[in-house]
Amino acid sequence: MDQWGGGDGSSWKIGNDSHHPFVGRDFGGAKRKDIGGTRAFGSGYPYGADDPTTLAGRSFPFGTWPLYWGENFMGTDEYGSHLDVVRPGGQLVVVPIRGSKQHYNVSDDEVYYAIGDKESATFVMLSYVDWCHALPAWPTKFDPTSPNSTVKLEQVIRYYRGSSFALSSPAYNNTFARSSFSNSTESSPLPDLVEYSPFRKCLDGVTVSALAIMNKPPKKVSLGVTLGIVFGILGIPAILFIIYISSCAWGAVLAIKDHINGVHERTKMRREARNAALNYESYP
């Protein structure tokens, strides 16, 4: 999973030998441009959403599975808290998001909540702080079955990344939330506080751009390219080294040759001197 990544690439099936809870389902391959959904749970799927009445059995185009709302809503019990230990990014959490009054004309009532896996919520919160001047906050565990849950299904203002992440507002109540299909465009209108909020628009833009998704694997580099890179990095030093070694070797050859010639010359001179001495001794 990569924040700000572009996604894309080919999808693949989860293998039978992986001991994964969702063996046989397609995984990955979605593009960043398809990350945005609607207010309908189950939206935000670029593929694998053939049945709009349920999320059971769906693929995971962005590399993770959807949120869980309890009571097997739209077949999502299979994505429940019992799988938090293997959910990409960790357990589901909720984090409050408030804007800085120094940068936005926000009231105390304007607060939003992000719901998603722990890593995604934490990292996108950092982006909210950087880009939208949100006030830093720490995530807490999300339990949709608790009567004291901070976020309700009816408060979601938009789903993202195959409905595995959402932004909500306590000022919103979508009366169609539990009766619509995943491909439905029917929803209650947003209150003006939310609809026309520059802060909310900033959060939405950053979520679309920065929320972590699965990237395509790196391209395999051919042997020719690898050799070209190696030669480009090491080629010139290697050539200079070879020239240096060759020069040293040739110098050594010449030195040995000169030494041999010198030995021959000295041997010849000693022979001539000896012959001259013998001739002198034999002179009458």
Side-chain angles (χ1 to χ4, degrees), residues 162-211:
S163 289
S164 64
F165 192 89
L167 285 178
S168 73
S169 167
Y172 180 56
N173 181 35
N174 183 9
T175 58
F176 297 91
R178 294 189 180 273
S179 59
S180 63
F181 297 152
S182 62
N183 59 357
S184 174
T185 58
E186 192 174 34
S187 64
S188 301
L190 294 175
D192 290 349
L193 174 71
V194 177
E195 176 70 29
Y196 301 108
S197 168
F199 181 54
R200 193 272 306 170
K201 293 178 181 178
C202 182
L203 297 178
D204 178 67
V206 168
T207 305
V208 168
S209 300
L211 186 62

Side-chain angles (χ1 to χ4, degrees), residues 101-171:
K101 293 185 178 181
Q102 295 177 345
H103 297 88
Y104 295 99
N105 185 24
V106 292
S107 66
D108 294 336
D109 296 332
E110 188 173 356
V111 59
Y112 302 93
Y113 291 90
I115 312 103
D117 63 88
K118 186 175 182 179
E119 287 187 7
S120 294
T122 301
F123 284 117
V124 83
M125 184 67 198
L126 295 176
S127 296
Y128 293 155
V129 172
D130 286 342
W131 293 91
C132 301
H133 307 287
L135 301 178
W138 195 251
T140 57
K141 184 178 180 180
F142 175 58
D143 182 7
T145 62
S146 170
N148 299 320
S149 177
T150 307
V151 177
K152 306 297 183 183
L153 175 70
E154 293 81 4
Q155 296 171 338
V156 172
I157 58 177
R158 194 179 188 187
Y159 288 99
Y160 307 84
R161 199 181 62 182
S163 289
S164 64
F165 192 89
L167 285 178
S168 73
S169 167

Side-chain angles (χ1 to χ4, degrees), residues 42-114:
S43 61
Y45 275 78
Y47 70 82
D50 299 328
D51 185 352
T53 65
T54 182
L55 276 71
R58 286 196 181 185
S59 303
F60 311 126
F62 294 98
T64 187
W65 44 89
L67 299 174
Y68 164 68
W69 288 106
E71 299 178 352
N72 201 29
F73 178 66
M74 294 186 71
T76 55
D77 268 6
E78 65 176 2
Y79 310 119
S81 57
H82 64 288
L83 289 183
D84 277 354
V85 292
V86 293
R87 177 184 285 271
Q91 69 177 9
L92 292 180
V93 297
V94 57
V95 56
I97 312 165
R98 292 179 171 84
S100 169
K101 293 185 178 181
Q102 295 177 345
H103 297 88
Y104 295 99
N105 185 24
V106 292
S107 66
D108 294 336
D109 296 332
E110 188 173 356
V111 59
Y112 302 93
Y113 291 90

Side-chain angles (χ1 to χ4, degrees), residues 16-61:
N16 291 326
D17 58 346
S18 65
H19 303 291
H20 198 279
F22 301 116
V23 166
R25 300 198 195 180
D26 289 329
F27 205 84
K31 297 180 181 180
R32 167 72 60 182
K33 68 180 183 66
D34 298 320
I35 197 173
T38 65
R39 295 167 205 156
F41 186 49
S43 61
Y45 275 78
Y47 70 82
D50 299 328
D51 185 352
T53 65
T54 182
L55 276 71
R58 286 196 181 185
S59 303
F60 311 126

